Amino acid sequence: MEKKNLRFYIIKLINILYKIYKLFYYKKKIINLRKKILNYNYKYHVLNNSNILDYQYDKLLSKLEKLENLYPYLKNKYSPTKLVGSRYKSLIFFKKSYHKIPMLSLNNVFNKNDLFKNFFFPINKLINKLNFCCELKFDGIAINLLYKNGILISAATRGDGIIGENILKNVLKIKSIPYMLKGKNFPKILEIRGEIFITKKKFIKLNQQKFGKYKLFSNTRSATYGILKINKDINEKIFNLLNFYSYGIGFIDQIRFVNQQEILTKLEYFGIPICKYTKIYSSYYKIINFYKYFKKNRNLLPYNIDGIVIKINNIKKQKILGYTNHAPKWAIAYKFPSQEKLTLLKKIIFQIGRTGVITPIAYFNTVNINGVNINFATLYNINEIKRLNLKIGDHIVIQRCGDVIPKITNVIINKQFLKKRINILIPTLCPSCNSILKKTVNNILYCKSGLSCKDQLKAYLKHFVSRDAININFIGKKLINKLVDKNLIKNVIDLLNLNNNILSKIDNLGNKSINKILQSLKNKQKVTFNKFLFSLGIPEIGIVTCYHISLFFTTLEKFLNTNLVELRSIKNIGKKTSLNIFNFINKKDNIIIIKNLLKKIKIIYPKNIFKKNYFYQKKITITGKFIFITRSNLIKKLIILGAIIHTYIRKKTDLLILGTHPSSKLLKATKLNIKIINENKVLSLFQKYK
Ligand code: IVH
């Protein structure tokens, strides 16, 4: 009997051991298969050089799928079986994506004088002996590629610089963007920044009706954007039209670089396409020659560029110079002059902005510059009319400044047409509300009636519903104009209180549209703090400033009780901005509006605004392995709470987070008497700040 029992247990044990063996065996097999497939993907999509036939590839994929189904606990969301495209299966499509580090813009100059005045001279006062990295300025769409453990997990457009749209689904289909990084020792988390664009040849091909309804884009940039935003299953070949070059990085862990050139070289090593024309120069003369060369020969390049970008090569020196609100001080875009066209001035309309400032808008016969049709340009203020001695009927020169904003640069006086010129009358009364216009010392005309002036109200309401503010769908420019013109709404509160009764007074607005509008208003009960601040329309306060304010003040109440000194201490807020904010929050009418808004809208204070936490501004290093949290998640959470993560222990380090199997960092931290906490403590602190 006993012998029988023993035999039974031995067989059971052998069975269990066999199962464990099988599990390890298949785990290894699954991992190897994934690696193999990802490698084929890389060759196929990046090198454009597949060394496996489609049916063989599909066989490998289905083998992996079978094994993953057999051992579901070995499934992984980054497995090639979960990916998109002809060689990718299901879809990954996240709507919004926070950039780990904001995506800033670049300051522009258009001539040598400004280049020296705005860039070289100010820098030279602080630092001398510099090397500059000179790159081409690609004319496409900026993209932020997030690689986790070498795998592309998100691809976000620039958006407002803080949050972009995740278009990973489409980006995965662009051959030159690798799904998997090549080489060894890539960082666990890496944001790669660059530009997606379409070559000139492919642009022509696109417009030659080769892709059904995706044709006739007016320029390469809009074509790139149009393709990237496709959100339905169409001929995937359209994505083969897109190319990519990287020009830098955003967030990175583990690796530190000495200069921009080193970053680009490393990116190339990882299999990321970079442009071969980048050059390092230390002399201004050579930089100007680089610019001149590409200005002359840009037509020979297969893609459009709109200038060059000059960057300080050394990263430490970049850090010394730092950033303005929207751009680095260590880089500048030196743009090519744009094309000019001659046309006829038809009329001037005086437009009233949301703060009452009157801007003259010139309307002229349509011209096409660099593929874009243009029929109006703003004149900034009435000085501009006088400076140009502008009259209706004039022959005017239009330039697309920086290839974006159209500008009247010149008036061609032709004796033959002199008699036909008609004087432009500068208004003394507001064209909207007839109140007497005022003038600032700088000759800027403005209407001081505030929101009782219908045009100002319309402009403010458009700002209020816009994407960066409260973001209310289905309430557009036309509807706002009609509602205000018919006296159906007098302020934002009326807009939030719109109902069936009021909306049915608008012509051509069916029940379906009314329901959509009402539903969209109903959905908008919660808004993040930064967007709420932006929606208030404080003069000259942009979205980035609102973001900084939202990070500084934990509540709206604190913001409303602030003072000028405190405002000046906020990152990127200068004298003028702080004064604008201070004046705004000290106006009784504004406070009444805010109070009424709060009856309808709840402000969400994002978690990362919560500053007084244990980790905030602490310099933290991490060592070892963690059981309940992945290292990358740990870092992410710490960053959200405002921690500064350092790879190595230094004298200045505030804290070491200790996992199992620590490295020599532990010894160093003990020697330097640095505070050490373990995983449990970190997790309990995270719980506290949840
Ligand atoms: S660097 C922090 N380098 O230009 C500054 N930008 O006008 C990061 N662009 O949004 C930009 N070529 O999308 C950089 N070689 C280049 C570029 C480049 C094109 C785009 C980029 C940026 C825009 C700013």
Side-chain angles (χ1 to χ4, degrees):
M1 180 73 180
E2 261 191 29
K3 250 188 187 175
K4 238 184 173 180
N5 246 349
L6 191 68
R7 237 176 63 196
F8 170 74
Y9 282 119
I10 289 176
I11 290 171
K12 210 169 176 182
L13 186 71
I14 290 174
N15 241 330
I16 292 172
L17 284 175
Y18 178 62
K19 269 189 185 156
I20 293 175
Y21 164 75
K22 241 172 83 180
L23 181 68
F24 276 102
Y25 172 76
Y26 282 114
K27 185 176 176 185
K28 207 166 171 200
K29 209 163 171 158
I30 286 177
I31 290 172
N32 283 342
L33 256 173
R34 275 183 196 152
K35 269 191 192 160
K36 206 167 170 178
I37 296 171
L38 290 175
N39 239 320
Y40 283 130
N41 282 353
Y42 170 72
K43 282 186 182 143
Y44 180 85
H45 288 282
V46 182
L47 303 181
N48 201 8
N49 177 18
S50 173
N51 52 354
I52 183 169
L53 295 173
D54 271 355
Y55 87 92
Q56 290 171 318
Y57 176 91
D58 289 341
K59 238 169 127 179
L60 280 180
L61 204 65
S62 74
K63 198 167 160 188
L64 175 62
E65 210 161 23
K66 265 185 201 157
L67 286 177
E68 283 181 342
N69 287 338
L70 219 60
Y71 296 98
Y73 31 89
L74 294 179
K75 274 192 180 170
N76 174 325
K77 68 175 172 180
Y78 304 121
S79 163
T81 53
K82 294 274 182 291
L83 296 167
V84 193
S86 55
R87 291 201 159 186
Y88 300 113
K89 282 200 148 180
S90 60
L91 299 185
I92 302 175
F93 196 17
F94 309 115
K95 258 225 129 162
K96 275 185 183 156
S97 177
Y98 271 86
H99 306 304
K100 288 186 175 294
I101 291 180
M103 283 181 88
L104 299 182
S105 184
L106 284 169
N107 286 323
N108 295 323
V109 285
F110 293 91
N111 56 56
K112 210 161 107 183
N113 268 353
D114 286 349
L115 175 67
F116 278 86
K117 199 174 94 195
N118 302 345
F119 189 61
F120 289 143
F121 289 159
I123 288 174
N124 235 322
K125 277 187 198 155
L126 291 166
I127 311 168
N128 50 30
K129 279 200 193 147
L130 282 171
N131 277 332
F132 294 93
C133 183
C134 295
E135 300 170 12
L136 300 186
K137 189 167 185 307
F138 317 107
D139 194 11
I141 301 293
I143 195 88
N144 187 21
L145 306 171
L146 177 63
Y147 286 85
K148 192 176 169 188
N149 294 319
I151 290 178
L152 183 61
I153 61 159
S154 141
T157 57
R158 186 169 174 272
D160 61 9
I162 292 157
I163 307 172
E165 259 182 299
N166 195 338
I167 51 166
L168 178 68
K169 179 184 126 185
N170 289 345
V171 167
L172 278 170
K173 295 173 197 158
I174 301 171
K175 277 189 189 158
S176 52
I177 297 185
Y179 160 67
M180 193 179 85
L181 294 183
K182 211 178 80 175
K184 285 182 195 154
N185 299 334
F186 35 74
K188 283 211 161 163
I189 299 176
L190 172 63
E191 277 186 329
I192 294 178
R193 307 267 164 98
E195 202 87 348
I196 297 180
F197 56 90
I198 184 168
T199 62
K200 296 175 198 168
K201 259 193 191 158
K202 288 179 179 171
F203 173 68
I204 295 169
K205 192 172 155 190
L206 176 74
N207 273 351
Q208 278 168 349
Q209 308 185 6
K210 293 256 166 77
F211 292 92
K213 82 182 193 49
Y214 294 97
K215 57 178 183 178
L216 292 178
F217 287 104
S218 57
N219 59 43
T220 50
R221 203 164 177 274
S222 64
T224 307
Y225 189 71
I227 297 174
L228 283 175
K229 293 296 288 277
I230 292 172
N231 195 9
K232 49 184 137 171
D233 285 332
I234 61 140
N235 188 349
E236 280 196 4
K237 278 191 185 155
I238 197 163
F239 296 98
N240 293 345
L241 300 176
L242 300 180
N243 281 55
F244 170 75
Y245 275 140
S246 170
Y247 48 69
I249 55 171
F251 181 83
I252 183 167
D253 64 357
Q254 295 159 334
I255 306 178
R256 291 287 163 265
F257 292 104
V258 175
N259 58 45
Q260 165 74 1
Q261 194 184 21
E262 197 185 61
I263 293 177
L264 296 176
T265 313
K266 193 73 171 185
L267 288 175
E268 195 177 22
Y269 165 75
F270 288 151
I272 301 290
I274 59 158
C275 173
K276 62 179 179 203
Y277 298 114
T278 299
K279 285 270 169 359
I280 307 292
Y281 293 123
S282 55
S283 104
Y284 296 152
Y285 171 75
K286 285 193 176 155
I287 297 174
I288 303 294
N289 271 353
F290 179 86
Y291 170 84
K292 281 185 184 161
Y293 177 84
F294 282 102
K295 185 176 146 200
K296 194 174 160 205
N297 295 308
R298 61 195 279 207
N299 294 338
L300 304 177
L301 287 171
Y303 43 82
N304 274 333
I305 57 169
D306 56 351
I308 65 163
V309 182
I310 308 165
K311 298 173 181 171
I312 287 178
N313 197 29
N314 186 291
I315 308 282
K316 266 192 194 155
K317 290 180 180 165
Q318 287 182 0
K319 282 188 180 148
I320 295 175
L321 288 162
Y323 298 82
T324 66
N325 211 358
H326 75 283
K329 289 183 192 164
W330 46 263
I332 196 126
Y334 185 10
K335 298 245 195 139
F336 299 136
S338 44
Q339 239 179 287
E340 292 177 337
K341 283 274 165 82
L342 194 68
T343 186
L344 206 74
L345 181 66
K346 288 202 298 200
K347 61 178 174 186
I348 300 276
I349 301 267
F350 290 88
Q351 195 181 65
I352 304 139
R354 71 180 153 87
T355 52
V357 171
I358 313 262
T359 312
I361 314 277
Y363 284 83
F364 40 79
N365 286 342
T366 305
V367 282
N368 187 295
I369 303 182
N370 297 350
V372 180
N373 286 334
I374 303 164
N375 68 352
F376 70 90
T378 62
L379 286 162
Y380 306 106
N381 58 43
I382 48 174
N383 288 351
E384 196 67 359
I385 298 176
K386 285 180 191 154
R387 188 183 70 83
L388 291 162
N389 185 20
L390 203 61
K391 298 203 164 121
I392 308 294
D394 271 346
H395 283 80
I396 51 176
V397 178
I398 309 292
Q399 196 181 68
R400 265 183 81 206
C401 200
D403 285 343
V404 185
I405 307 157
K407 198 176 166 189
I408 300 179
T409 52
N410 224 335
V411 176
I412 312 287
I413 308 277
N414 191 330
K415 278 183 193 159
Q416 201 188 330
F417 301 115
L418 273 182
K419 278 184 195 155
K420 291 184 185 161
R421 299 176 83 212
I422 303 166
N423 278 339
I424 295 164
L425 292 175
I426 307 291
T428 48
L429 300 178
C430 171
S432 171
C433 68
N434 271 333
S435 65
I436 295 171
L437 292 179
K438 296 265 169 193
K439 228 186 244 176
T440 66
V441 272
N442 303 327
N443 240 352
I444 291 172
L445 274 183
Y446 69 97
C447 160
K448 59 176 192 55
S449 305
L451 296 184
S452 59
C453 165
K454 278 190 178 176
D455 277 10
Q456 274 183 71
L457 176 63
K458 285 176 191 169
Y460 172 60
L461 292 176
K462 282 167 207 163
H463 170 84
F464 184 78
V465 299
S466 68
R467 250 179 70 176
D468 291 332
I470 306 292
N471 190 13
I472 303 175
N473 293 330
F474 307 112
I475 300 186
K477 198 169 151 183
K478 279 187 191 159
L479 180 63
I480 288 176
N481 288 348
K482 283 181 188 170
L483 286 164
V484 174
D485 286 339
K486 289 193 167 212
N487 293 323
L488 293 170
I489 55 175
K490 291 204 163 54
N491 50 49
V492 270
I493 310 299
D494 290 349
L495 182 108
L496 292 174
N497 282 333
L498 276 175
N499 57 34
N500 211 324
N501 196 9
I502 299 174
L503 286 169
S504 56
K505 290 182 183 150
I506 302 288
D507 326 319
N508 302 328
L509 203 62
N511 273 343
K512 234 179 170 179
S513 306
I514 292 181
N515 286 341
K516 274 186 189 166
I517 294 166
L518 293 178
Q519 190 57 41
S520 139
L521 279 168
K522 214 172 152 191
N523 292 344
K524 271 296 152 210
Q525 284 163 353
K526 288 180 185 170
V527 166
T528 54
F529 190 23
N530 56 327
K531 290 196 167 207
F532 183 84
L533 289 169
F534 187 64
S535 79
L536 299 177
I538 306 171
E540 290 173 59
I541 308 296
I543 34 171
V544 177
T545 307
C546 289
Y547 183 70
H548 287 303
I549 298 173
S550 75
L551 287 177
F552 189 88
F553 298 100
T554 44
T555 64
L556 178 69
E557 204 184 332
K558 282 188 189 156
F559 167 68
L560 295 178
N561 288 315
T562 186
N563 54 51
L564 274 174
V565 180
E566 192 174 39
L567 282 168
R568 280 302 298 273
S569 72
I570 303 174
K571 193 176 163 191
N572 292 324
I573 291 193
K575 204 170 164 183
K576 201 170 167 213
T577 312
S578 52
L579 208 63
N580 277 341
I581 298 171
F582 188 72
N583 287 340
F584 185 91
I585 57 178
N586 279 296
K587 252 193 188 155
K588 216 171 139 195
D589 288 354
N590 292 333
I591 300 299
I592 294 172
I593 290 179
I594 291 175
K595 278 193 175 148
N596 282 323
L597 277 177
L598 290 177
K599 286 182 193 158
K600 296 291 281 179
I601 290 172
K602 188 173 178 290
I603 300 176
I604 311 166
Y605 297 101
K607 284 178 201 138
N608 60 355
I609 291 169
F610 188 50
K611 286 176 55 178
K612 279 185 193 125
N613 72 70
Y614 181 80
F615 301 104
Y616 187 72
Q617 290 291 301
K618 277 207 171 106
K619 296 178 192 81
I620 299 177
T621 299
I622 298 165
T623 184
K625 290 183 176 149
F626 299 91
I627 301 161
F628 298 107
I629 188 165
T630 61
R631 201 185 171 93
S632 58
N633 262 342
L634 174 66
I635 294 175
K636 199 161 81 186
K637 284 199 171 154
L638 289 169
I639 290 172
I640 288 173
L641 289 168
I644 303 151
I645 309 294
H646 285 163
T647 316
Y648 304 108
I649 294 276
R650 304 163 198 186
K651 268 189 196 160
K652 283 189 278 177
T653 308
D654 296 306
L655 187 70
L656 175 73
I657 297 183
L658 183 66
T660 61
H661 306 92
S663 69
S664 59
K665 288 178 200 170
L666 176 60
L667 194 72
K668 202 162 175 197
T670 325
K671 272 187 193 162
L672 291 171
N673 228 352
I674 286 162
K675 191 167 166 64
I676 301 170
I677 61 170
N678 63 16
E679 186 177 353
N680 279 348
K681 175 80 185 165
V682 177
L683 293 182
S684 69
L685 284 165
F686 281 168
Q687 204 59 31
K688 196 168 150 192
Y689 306 125
K690 208 170 170 183

